[in-house]
Amino acid sequence: MQGRTILQQMSDKSLPRAFTEEEISAALQKTKPATAPGYDIHVEFLKNLGPKARTWLSKFLSRIMATHSIPKIKRKAKVIAVEKPGKDPSLAANYCPISLLSVCYKLLDRLALQRISPTVEGLLSPDHAGFRKGRSTCDQVAALTTFIENGFQQNLKTGTAFLDLTAAYDTVWHTGLLYELSKSGLLYKLSKSGSVPYRPQPHRPHEKTISVKKNNHIGHKKCTAI
């Protein structure tokens, strides 16, 4: 619950500015057409809104940001189980759940992303390539091969460790993440759960146990996760 609430009280002066019709239009232009909606309307309805409707939509989404309260219907997801190819359909584990979110909620996400992206780009490490515009796994592969080649030229050997984290997204330390966002000034007054805001807690490292396979032997090592 804590990971879904605001980490600190914010004054009215610190609230994000209202969304403009230009921002709405830019976000809708980037939204893919013919996508499956959740429990609300199709994205084509929003793409074809007139000027007055877009003005109303901008005020509606701005009010959500200002009151940190999202309508309950917008927080619901329609979950569809898709069978994995070549797997036994009688086993539940052989289905991949896909959540269809509210189109309006995804539009709000895109608007917030447009606002914070320029600042976030300046905070990220230049070596970070995941989920960044114009960057991909190819950048990481090129960096690794270049490092190996440079070592080869100096008669050095290069060792690598590849970690595959199970359900990495679901195990993110949300409290620590929101705390870091609040320190950087990127945390808007928005609560998905509509709960009472709470004060940010200090950033506390915590221990994790990881398994590493080497020469067909699996070892367990405790490490400090930041």
Side-chain angles (χ1 to χ4, degrees):
M1 179 65 70
Q2 288 183 336
R4 297 183 179 180
T5 57
I6 299 306
L7 293 176
Q8 65 184 70
Q9 296 283 358
M10 302 171 66
S11 64
D12 293 338
K13 294 182 179 180
S14 63
L15 293 177
R17 66 183 186 277
F19 293 118
T20 64
E21 295 177 40
E22 290 74 17
E23 287 180 295
I24 296 289
S25 299
L28 288 174
Q29 189 174 6
K30 295 179 181 179
T31 304
K32 295 180 180 179
T35 55
Y39 285 104
D40 58 355
I41 59 179
H42 289 262
V43 68
E44 284 75 16
F45 284 92
L46 297 183
K47 282 181 169 290
N48 291 280
L49 289 177
K52 291 185 178 180
R54 294 200 177 198
T55 300
W56 179 90
L57 183 60
S58 64
K59 292 180 179 180
F60 171 69
L61 297 178
S62 298
R63 187 166 62 250
I64 288 178
M65 297 292 283
T67 61
H68 59 87
S69 178
I70 297 179
K72 185 179 296 185
I73 187 63
K74 304 301 181 185
R75 289 185 272 124
K76 288 186 177 181
K78 184 185 297 183
V79 180
I80 298 178
V82 179
E83 181 183 347
K84 297 179 180 179
K87 301 292 184 177
D88 184 3
S90 63
L91 299 178
N94 293 333
Y95 287 83
C96 179
I98 297 179
S99 298
L100 302 180
L101 303 177
S102 162
V103 172
C104 291
Y105 182 73
K106 290 192 290 186
L107 176 61
L108 179 60
D109 279 350
R110 186 176 293 277
L111 289 167
L113 180 61
Q114 289 180 171
R115 287 275 184 91
I116 68 174
S117 288
T119 305
V120 171
E121 283 296 319
L123 297 175
L124 294 177
S125 166
D127 298 324
H128 182 83
F131 298 98
R132 297 183 71 178
K133 186 176 181 179
R135 305 286 294 275
S136 68
T137 308
C138 296
D139 295 85
Q140 306 290 48
V141 173
L144 177 60
T145 53
T146 301
F147 187 85
I148 295 174
E149 179 63 25
N150 291 338
F152 180 76
Q153 297 296 334
Q154 304 176 45
N155 295 320
L156 299 176
K157 294 183 179 180
T158 302
T160 60
F162 298 92
L163 301 180
D164 184 10
L165 303 179
T166 303
Y169 180 81
D170 297 328
T171 55
V172 170
W173 185 28
H174 295 99
T175 303
L177 176 61
L178 292 177
Y179 175 68
E180 292 298 326
L181 288 174
S182 68
K183 289 199 304 181
S184 62
L186 292 174
L187 192 60
Y188 287 152
K189 189 177 181 182
L190 176 64
S191 171
K192 293 182 181 180
S193 61
S195 302
V196 178
Y198 65 95
R199 293 287 181 181
Q201 300 297 320
H203 187 97
R204 297 190 180 94
H206 55 290
E207 284 192 346
K208 291 270 188 180
T209 300
I210 62 174
S211 299
V212 180
K213 185 176 182 180
K214 180 180 179 182
N215 298 330
N216 294 325
H217 295 284
I218 297 179
H220 302 279
K221 179 70 175 177
K222 283 188 176 181
C223 63
T224 302
I226 304 299

